[in-house]
């Protein structure tokens, strides 16, 4: 199967990012905790160079807790502060202010030496579509936030959300395009639903997920669907299909329906907390 992503406005999004990034001190990069590398943008290193950086492992609730820890260590070892969050419930959000201060330590120190005191850190949230940028901004900004409005020297129309006295966040996130350079990355993005299922062969995708789960999370399918994890991966999809009574007319298995259901249940965490890629 050929996994591809067809970005509609990639050039425009990139131009906007390049423009906005000039205005900020800190890039808050959201990645999906289930695929922290595959959900990163290939150009982020270049775009974010000379900026303080913070990585948020979002949707941490859907990923394996021990893998979340391992990924945070992985990024920290590479000089990028990383922390886990669940933007949907707000878990982990409270620790972000401290992480921001830590990530911007050098800038704060530089300012201090130049006699600039209390200049707020300006940040923007970036990430690929559906990673949770809007949900995060809402959770982080909460109700207490105050919009600072337009200020001289800031491109007209930009809104900054003031978060405490030390931080201002651009209210519109930067949309980054995902990687689509290799098959495995594409497949992982498809697993979490970052690609339009319409352009995918959903049964093939489900069979690939079954293969992964049997290998890395043995017992997860058995527990959810009360089936034996025996035989080939395709026959397991057929078993799930029968168990969930996904039939066409005349009791013919509706594999497409079963595959869609499996993908939906995986994506919403019903199969458990599952991480699709681990640090090397
Ligand atoms: P975007 O701006 O980056 O495109 O993403 P957005 O905030 O729209 O979030 C995409 C989906 O991810 C939403 O689900 C949102 O609720 C969900 N989401 C965001 N953060 C988290 C998280 O930390 N954990 C979990 N489990 N989900 C998260 P949706 O299905 O589009 O909407 P809804 O069903 O939640 O209403």
């Amino acid at each position: 199967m050929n996994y591809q992503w067809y970005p509609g406005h990639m050039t425009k999004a990139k131009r906007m990012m390049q423009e906005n990034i000039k205005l900020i001190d800190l890039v808050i990069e959201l990645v999906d905790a289930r695929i922290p590398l595959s959900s990163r943008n290939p150009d982020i290193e270049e775009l974010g160079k000379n900026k303080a950086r913070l990585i948020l492992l979002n949707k941490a609730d859907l990923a394996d807790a021990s893998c979340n820890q391992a990924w945070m260590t992985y990024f920290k070892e590479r000089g990028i502060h990383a922390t886990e969050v669940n933007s949907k419930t707000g878990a982990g959000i409270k620790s972000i202010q401290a992480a921001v201060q830590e990530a911007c330590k050098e800038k704060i120190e530089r300012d201090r030496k130049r006699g600039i005191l209390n200049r707020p850190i300006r940040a923007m949230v970036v990430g690929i579509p559906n990673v949770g940028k809007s949900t995060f901004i809402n959770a982080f900004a909460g109700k207490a936030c105050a919009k600072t409005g337009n200020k001289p020297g800031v491109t007209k129309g930009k809104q900054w959300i003031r978060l405490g006295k030390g931080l201002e966040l651009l209210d519109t996130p930067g949309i980054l395009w995902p990687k689509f350079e290799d098959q495995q990355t594409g497949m992982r993005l498809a697993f979490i639903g970052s690609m339009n299922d319409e352009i995918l062969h959903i049964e093939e995708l489900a069979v690939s997920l079954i293969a992964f789960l049997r290998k890395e999370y043995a017992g997860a399918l058995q527990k959810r669907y009360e089936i034996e994890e025996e035989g080939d991966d395709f026959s397991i999809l057929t078993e799930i299909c029968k168990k969930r009574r996904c039939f066409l007319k005349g009791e013919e298995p509706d594999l497409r329906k079963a595959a869609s259901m499996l993908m939906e249940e995986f994506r919403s965490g019903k199969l458990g907390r599952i991480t699709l890629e681990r640090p090397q």
Side-chain angles (χ1 to χ4, degrees):
M1 192 176 356
N2 198 13
Y3 297 99
Q4 278 194 327
W5 194 73
Y6 299 99
H9 308 286
M10 208 158 87
T11 322
K12 189 167 172 248
K14 189 169 181 174
R15 214 182 311 118
M16 259 187 73
M17 276 280 304
Q18 283 165 333
E19 209 180 281
N20 286 338
I21 221 154
K22 290 184 202 145
L23 309 171
I24 57 150
D25 311 297
L26 169 72
V27 177
I28 302 178
E29 182 189 354
L30 258 70
V31 299
D32 191 300
R34 293 165 296 176
I35 50 167
L37 292 187
S38 295
S39 58
R40 294 190 81 194
N41 168 276
D43 295 340
I44 189 68
E45 296 299 334
E46 180 59 26
L47 284 164
K49 72 169 191 269
N50 305 327
K51 302 287 170 186
R53 303 272 296 279
L54 177 62
I55 287 187
L56 300 183
L57 297 167
N58 194 41
K59 308 198 186 183
D61 54 305
L62 299 175
D64 198 316
S66 62
C67 292
N68 289 346
Q69 287 299 329
W71 278 113
M72 287 192 282
T73 306
Y74 170 94
F75 287 117
K76 278 171 197 162
E77 280 170 0
R78 282 156 186 79
I80 307 180
H81 296 271
T83 186
E84 57 177 322
V85 289
N86 173 354
S87 297
K88 226 170 157 172
T89 62
I93 297 279
K94 275 200 189 120
S95 65
I96 293 177
Q97 281 282 9
V100 166
Q101 297 298 319
E102 183 63 28
C104 295
K105 225 158 62 185
E106 281 174 27
K107 180 207 143 350
I108 295 166
E109 186 56 20
R110 230 177 14 247
D111 276 1
R112 200 185 58 80
K113 280 190 182 143
R114 289 186 195 145
I116 307 168
L117 292 176
N118 301 326
R119 190 167 73 85
I121 293 158
R122 287 200 149 171
M124 82 182 277
V125 170
V126 306
I128 64 170
N130 211 37
V131 73
K133 297 178 294 299
S134 313
T135 312
F136 169 74
I137 292 175
N138 286 335
F140 191 35
K143 290 191 192 80
C145 75
K147 285 200 176 182
T148 60
N150 295 333
K151 284 186 174 176
V154 174
T155 311
K156 215 172 149 203
K158 303 252 176 283
Q159 293 285 324
W160 296 89
I161 305 168
R162 189 180 296 141
L163 296 155
K165 52 178 163 28
L167 180 63
E168 288 182 4
L169 187 69
L170 198 59
D171 75 342
T172 39
I175 303 166
L176 298 170
W177 51 102
K179 300 181 208 193
F180 35 95
E181 48 212 32
D182 70 85
Q183 289 287 298
Q184 198 175 46
T185 303
M187 191 168 76
R188 288 170 177 166
L189 286 162
F191 279 169
I192 65 160
S194 270
M195 274 189 232
N196 188 348
D197 282 347
E198 312 270 292
I199 64 164
L200 301 168
H201 190 301
I202 195 82
E203 289 103 305
E204 258 184 60
L205 188 68
V207 169
S208 303
L209 179 67
I210 289 170
F212 169 83
L213 292 172
R214 291 177 78 187
K215 189 161 168 271
E216 302 290 338
Y217 290 88
L221 291 165
Q222 185 179 26
K223 189 167 166 219
R224 176 80 191 158
Y225 301 110
E226 297 171 327
I227 52 158
E228 293 306 319
E229 293 185 10
E230 280 163 8
D232 62 34
D233 301 324
F234 185 79
S235 68
I236 290 192
L237 179 61
T238 315
E239 278 308 302
I240 294 172
C241 188
K242 285 187 202 151
K243 274 276 176 183
R244 288 299 173 96
R245 305 200 58 75
C246 301
F247 293 130
L248 295 162
K249 270 191 213 122
E251 301 267 299
E252 197 189 323
D254 187 346
L255 292 174
R256 202 179 157 73
K257 190 171 170 193
S260 297
M261 180 211 64
L262 173 66
M263 295 316 301
E264 195 284 318
E265 296 202 351
F266 163 72
R267 288 167 184 166
S268 57
K270 293 194 179 79
L271 295 170
R273 297 178 65 170
I274 289 163
T275 297
L276 295 167
E277 64 191 10
R278 291 158 195 254
Q280 290 301 313

